[in-house]
């Protein structure tokens, strides 16, 4: 039996900043609702004091052809949640499980395959981010470097600005910004795209402007709509995205990459042995 099911909730959340005030009212209802009811356009319009046309516009902004298609998908995956769960630990674990479910709903395997191709073709890869996103960028550098990818992570603002002008069609740039508004990261992506580099943005926000300078927008779930979002590491959804991309990339020429990974680990272990000998 499939444990994960595709849900419309993370799609609503990723488009939240694009909604009007009325559409956000509709979005809040579907995100927070826990009861089965009549979800017909007429019933929901009356319940929320909005027009049926507003429901249709809302559904289209979420990527559906209309409200009927949207609500069909919503009903297919709607699960009444019991709020009787007690214990902080259980709630935290539940929140992580919800993040996993939302990640599953947002995953586009065709997109991951394209990103994997970009990685294979790129002569050099850059991944940039600030704060917790920068730490995740460093983790991505370490993981991909161990399997032979020529990759650098950048967290410094000045470095992002300087490196941006040296990009070309042989390069691939990853930008990580959960909010989708980190100026330095977006600047790097814009300038790299102008120079012909492939660009990938990992973010929780889906904005139309990203299409102008991002070859791929890899959506991850947002923490702000979760009950315990303030105590969950913001790196968690980013690291999930990196894991998925990594697994697809490794699958091609898997034997060669595993050998490279073993070589790097052996080199690290030998290096530790040398340092111990010098100390002794």
């Amino acid at each position: 039996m499939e444990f994960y099911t595709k849900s419309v909730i993370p799609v609503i959340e990723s488009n939240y900043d694009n909604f009007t005030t009325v559409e956000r009212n509709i979005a809040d209802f579907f995100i927070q609702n826990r009861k089965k009811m009549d979800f017909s356009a007429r019933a929901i319009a009356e319940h929320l004091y909005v027009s049926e046309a507003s429901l249709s516009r809302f559904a289209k902004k979420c990527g559906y052809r209309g409200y009927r298609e949207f609500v069909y998908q919503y009903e297919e995956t709607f699960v009444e949640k019991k709020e009787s769960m007690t214990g902080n630990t259980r709630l935290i674990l539940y929140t992580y499980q919800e993040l996993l479910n939302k990640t599953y709903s947002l995953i586009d395997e065709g997109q991951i395959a394209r990103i994997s191709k970009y990685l294979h073709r790129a002569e050099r890869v850059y991944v940039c981010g600030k704060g917790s996103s920068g730490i995740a960028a460093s983790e991505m550098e370490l993981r991909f470097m161990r399997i032979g990818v020529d990759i650098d992570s950048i967290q410094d603002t000045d470095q992002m600005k300087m490196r941006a002008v040296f990009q070309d069609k042989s390069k691939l740039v990853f930008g990580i910004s959960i909010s989708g508004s980190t100026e330095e990261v977006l600047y790097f992506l814009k300038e790299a795209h102008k120079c012909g580099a492939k660009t990938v943005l990992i973010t929780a926000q889906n904005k139309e402007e990203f299409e102008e300078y991002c070859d791929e927008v890899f959506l991850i779930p947002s923490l702000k709509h979760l009950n315990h979002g303030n105590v969950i590491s913001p790196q968690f959804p980013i690291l999930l995205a990196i894991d998925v991309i990594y697994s697809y990339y490794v699958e091609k020429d898997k034997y060669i990459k595993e050998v490279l990974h073993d070589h790097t680990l052996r080199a690290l272990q030998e290096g530790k042995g040398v340092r111990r000998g010098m100390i002794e």
Side-chain angles (χ1 to χ4, degrees):
M1 184 176 70
E2 285 285 342
F3 184 75
Y4 298 106
T5 55
K6 291 285 185 180
S7 169
V8 302
I9 300 302
V11 176
I12 297 173
E13 293 171 349
S14 66
N15 287 286
Y16 197 86
D17 288 349
N18 300 328
F19 297 144
T20 62
T21 302
V22 172
E23 290 162 353
R24 288 187 182 187
N25 182 39
I26 298 169
D28 290 339
F29 166 75
F30 284 108
I31 291 170
Q32 298 167 12
N33 177 56
R34 298 291 183 268
K35 298 178 181 178
K36 287 185 179 180
M37 57 188 294
D38 181 0
F39 292 115
S40 67
R42 182 177 179 180
I44 297 303
E46 290 179 358
H47 181 74
L48 298 178
Y49 302 102
V50 299
S51 67
E52 292 185 28
S54 294
L55 292 175
S56 179
R57 286 192 292 271
F58 163 77
K60 287 177 180 177
K61 281 192 178 180
C62 290
Y64 296 91
R65 287 172 291 183
Y67 179 76
R68 182 176 296 181
E69 183 183 34
F70 164 82
V71 84
Y72 174 79
Q73 185 68 40
Y74 181 78
E75 288 180 319
E76 281 285 293
T77 58
F78 178 78
V79 177
E80 287 188 277
K81 295 182 181 179
K82 296 180 179 179
E83 302 295 344
S84 59
M85 186 182 291
T86 58
N88 196 55
T89 300
R90 293 179 71 186
L91 281 171
I92 294 297
L93 293 175
Y94 173 81
T95 303
Y96 272 108
Q97 184 61 59
E98 190 172 357
L99 273 171
L100 287 169
N101 286 329
K102 289 183 176 184
T103 299
Y104 175 78
S105 296
L106 292 170
I107 287 293
D108 178 347
E109 295 203 47
Q111 179 184 61
I112 301 166
R114 292 192 297 273
I115 294 173
S116 181
K117 286 183 180 178
Y118 298 159
L119 278 162
H120 277 283
R121 294 171 182 169
E123 293 179 8
R124 192 169 181 80
V125 179
Y126 294 93
V127 53
C128 62
K130 300 287 290 182
S132 59
S133 295
I135 296 171
S138 296
E139 170 67 14
M140 185 173 180
E141 176 190 357
L142 287 172
R143 294 199 66 190
F144 281 85
M145 179 177 63
R146 289 175 181 172
I147 54 173
V149 177
D150 189 353
I151 182 172
D152 277 327
S153 62
I154 306 172
Q155 300 181 49
D156 180 73
T157 297
D158 291 337
Q159 282 285 329
M160 289 185 205
K161 289 180 179 179
M162 289 188 288
R163 296 287 185 93
V165 299
F166 294 112
Q167 303 306 306
D168 57 48
K169 62 182 181 181
S170 69
K171 310 295 195 305
L172 169 61
V173 175
F174 284 89
I176 305 175
S177 173
I178 296 177
S179 67
S181 59
T182 310
E183 291 183 10
E184 301 91 335
V185 172
L186 299 183
Y187 175 83
F188 197 161
L189 291 169
K190 288 175 184 177
E191 294 303 310
H193 187 266
K194 287 179 186 176
C195 296
K198 288 291 185 183
T199 51
V200 178
L201 173 62
I202 298 175
T203 182
Q205 301 298 324
N206 191 18
K207 299 179 182 179
E208 290 184 4
E209 66 184 71
F210 295 154
E211 296 179 6
E212 298 174 11
Y213 52 88
C214 296
D215 292 286
E216 301 289 343
V217 178
F218 193 109
L219 291 174
I220 59 175
S222 170
L223 297 178
K224 68 180 180 180
H225 298 286
L226 298 172
N227 290 333
H228 282 66
N230 60 326
V231 295
I232 298 297
S233 169
Q235 294 172 43
F236 182 70
I238 303 171
L239 295 176
L240 281 177
I242 293 171
D243 283 345
V244 171
I245 295 170
Y246 181 87
S247 68
Y248 267 75
Y249 179 73
V250 168
E251 197 59 35
K252 192 171 183 179
D253 301 326
K254 188 174 182 179
Y255 174 75
I256 295 173
K257 286 163 185 168
E258 285 178 345
V259 170
L260 287 170
H261 184 266
D262 290 343
H263 284 340
T264 56
L265 287 179
R266 194 177 301 116
L268 288 171
Q269 290 168 354
E270 290 174 354
K272 289 179 181 177
V274 169
R275 284 197 296 274
R276 279 199 299 270
M278 291 175 66
I279 293 170
E280 291 170 359

